[in-house]
């Protein structure tokens, strides 16, 4: 199973168009010290040519170019077999409507996410006006095979599990499993990947689940709980925004430290997070603990 990190920044990207925080300033003036990143998304494929997107970001067009696929023979070809969603947040779903040229699209998500895309953001009805959209419901805690558009099995199984978080700000109702993590498993090699780009807390059950995976892609949004408050950018803490901070005694770096996973990688990194700067002490701390700061284009074969 091949996994490509298509985008590793949180909503807004890095640098963010309207942001002049210290980290965004470095990304603009010294990009070798803080590489620009597009909005969080990953792609998974068992055969290296047919891909499933894990969330569809507003940067999806540029991101698909990163897959480096050979030129197809026909005039039209979509390398995207389907999109698997962790939630209905805009940074994870706006790309769906941007894929509307792909005549046929599969969207795999929980029923709570489907309802928000139908009724709140209306991204599904809008996309359906242009393309045939097949919806495949993700039932929490049940492994289900991902199929290609032609119905053939991909050889990849996905299991969704609810994670601690609130629903998006625009949600008109809160239904169970509105925000999930995903475990992807290659049926042939047995390789596994956990994809958890948004997570407000880590309990024992979640840690046990992640501990069985080869690659953990985890929420690296904020370095500290009061990051946005200190910068006078926002008035809510990281935890209030349902993102467990990376640093601190109770942060994800310590909590995920005991995992026996081969690769532990932070993704969905907010533009304010100092670990984005290559020579920052925060970056050294992450790497010293055996973690990687996700970068666009990173590939893993599991
Ligand atoms: C989040 O990650 O908390 C959301 O994507 C917030 C947002 O949409 O700006
Ligand atoms: Mn986000
Ligand atoms: Zn910034």
């Amino acid at each position: 199973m091949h996994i490509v990190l298509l985008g590793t920044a949180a909503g807004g990207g890095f640098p963010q168009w309207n942001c002049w925080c210290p980290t965004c300033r470095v990304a603009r003036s010294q990009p070798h010290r803080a590489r620009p990143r597009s909005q969080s998304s990953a792609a998974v494929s068992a055969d290296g040519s047919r891909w499933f997107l894990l969330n569809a970001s507003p940067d999806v067009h540029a991101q698909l170019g990163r897959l480096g696929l050979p030129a197809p023979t026909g005039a039209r070809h979509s390398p995207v077999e389907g999109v698997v969603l962790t939630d209905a947040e805009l940074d994870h779903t706006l790309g769906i409507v941007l894929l509307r040229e792909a005549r046929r699209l599969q969207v795999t998500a929980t029923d709570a996410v489907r309802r928000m895309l139908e009724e709140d953001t209306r991204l599904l009805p809008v996309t359906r006006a242009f393309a045939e959209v097949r919806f495949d419901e993700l039932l929490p805690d049940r492994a289900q095979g991902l199929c290609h558009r032609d119905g053939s099995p991909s050889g990849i199984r996905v299991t969704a599990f609810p994670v601690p978080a609130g629903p998006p700000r625009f949600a008109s109702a809160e239904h169970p499993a509105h925000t999930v993590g995903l475990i992807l498993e290659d049926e042939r090699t047995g390789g596994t990947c956990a994809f958890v780009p948004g997570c407000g807390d880590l309990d024992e059950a979640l840690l046990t689940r992640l501990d069985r995976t080869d690659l953990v892609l985890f929420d690296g949004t904020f370095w500290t709980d009061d990051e946005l408050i200190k910068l006078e950018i926002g008035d809510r803490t990281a935890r209030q925004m349902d993102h467990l901070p990376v640093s601190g005694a109770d942060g994800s770096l310590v909590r995920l430290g005991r995992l026996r996973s081969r690769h532990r990688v932070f993704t969905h990194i907010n533009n304010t997070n100092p670990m984005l700067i290559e020579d920052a002490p925060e970056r050294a701390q992450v790497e010293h603990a055996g973690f990687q700061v996700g970068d666009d284009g990173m590939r893993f074969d599991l």
Side-chain angles (χ1 to χ4, degrees):
M1 175 168 73
H2 313 281
I3 307 263
V4 179
L5 299 193
L6 295 176
T8 51
F14 180 58
Q16 180 171 311
W17 65 279
N18 64 339
C19 191
W20 292 86
C21 75
T23 331
C24 283
R25 284 176 191 267
V26 175
R28 286 198 186 89
S29 60
Q30 299 170 283
H32 61 282
R33 288 186 60 216
R35 279 194 292 277
R37 287 163 166 82
S38 61
Q39 296 171 81
S40 170
S41 173
V44 59
S45 170
D47 64 10
S49 62
R50 290 176 288 184
W51 294 84
F52 292 86
L53 297 184
L54 308 180
N55 293 333
S57 96
D59 302 317
V60 67
H61 292 167
Q63 290 174 339
L64 288 176
R66 285 189 165 273
L67 288 176
L69 298 170
T73 46
R76 286 280 166 93
H77 171 75
S78 168
V80 180
E81 294 293 330
V83 182
V84 188
L85 300 172
T86 59
D87 53 68
E89 295 283 2
L90 294 175
D91 53 348
H92 293 162
T93 57
L94 282 174
I96 294 172
V97 75
L98 301 178
L99 294 172
R100 67 192 181 282
E101 294 90 356
R103 268 180 242 160
R104 201 188 312 160
L105 210 55
Q106 302 191 94
V107 175
T108 305
T110 63
D111 186 59
V113 170
R114 182 192 61 77
R115 290 161 83 136
M116 289 184 277
L117 298 180
E118 293 279 4
E119 293 153 27
D120 296 325
T121 64
R122 291 198 38 84
L123 281 179
L124 281 183
V126 170
T127 309
R128 255 191 239 113
F130 300 88
E132 180 194 326
V133 182
R134 205 188 129 220
F135 185 83
D136 197 12
E137 186 181 343
L138 262 184
L139 295 167
D141 301 309
R142 189 187 294 185
Q144 48 198 90
L146 289 176
C147 286
H148 297 129
R149 281 168 296 182
D150 64 9
S152 63
S154 69
I156 297 169
R157 270 198 306 239
V158 62
T159 307
F161 51 93
V163 294
R169 294 189 199 202
F170 52 76
S172 54
E174 181 170 346
H175 296 289
H178 56 73
T179 306
V180 298
L182 306 172
I183 303 271
L184 297 132
E185 184 184 357
D186 185 324
E187 289 170 2
R188 192 176 55 83
T189 66
T192 50
C193 165
F195 184 66
V196 190
C199 187
D201 204 357
L202 271 168
D203 58 19
E204 276 306 308
L206 188 44
L207 283 167
T208 305
R209 211 188 267 278
L210 301 182
D211 194 31
R212 299 191 206 114
T213 59
D214 299 308
L215 165 64
V216 177
L217 300 169
F218 195 79
D219 182 342
T221 312
F222 297 112
W223 182 253
T224 53
D225 201 34
D226 60 358
E227 192 161 313
L228 296 187
I229 297 170
K230 276 237 171 84
L231 289 165
E232 297 179 4
I233 286 176
D235 51 13
R236 293 190 302 159
T237 64
R239 284 189 170 84
Q240 283 167 346
M241 295 172 74
D242 303 306
H243 295 294
L244 183 66
V246 173
S247 72
D250 210 21
S252 53
L253 200 58
V254 168
R255 306 275 289 279
L256 296 175
R258 67 168 224 226
L259 297 187
R260 287 161 294 180
S261 307
R262 204 160 13 124
H263 312 280
R264 293 169 295 181
V265 182
F266 287 111
T267 189
H268 190 279
I269 307 162
N270 198 55
N271 58 79
T272 50
N273 191 327
M275 72 180 183
L276 285 166
I277 300 180
E278 311 272 332
D279 54 13
E282 291 85 355
R283 168 67 68 94
Q285 194 182 327
V286 169
E287 290 176 351
H288 185 73
F291 289 72
Q292 284 173 277
V293 173
D295 207 350
D296 293 14
M298 267 185 184
R299 276 174 184 260
F300 300 89
D301 297 315
L302 305 171

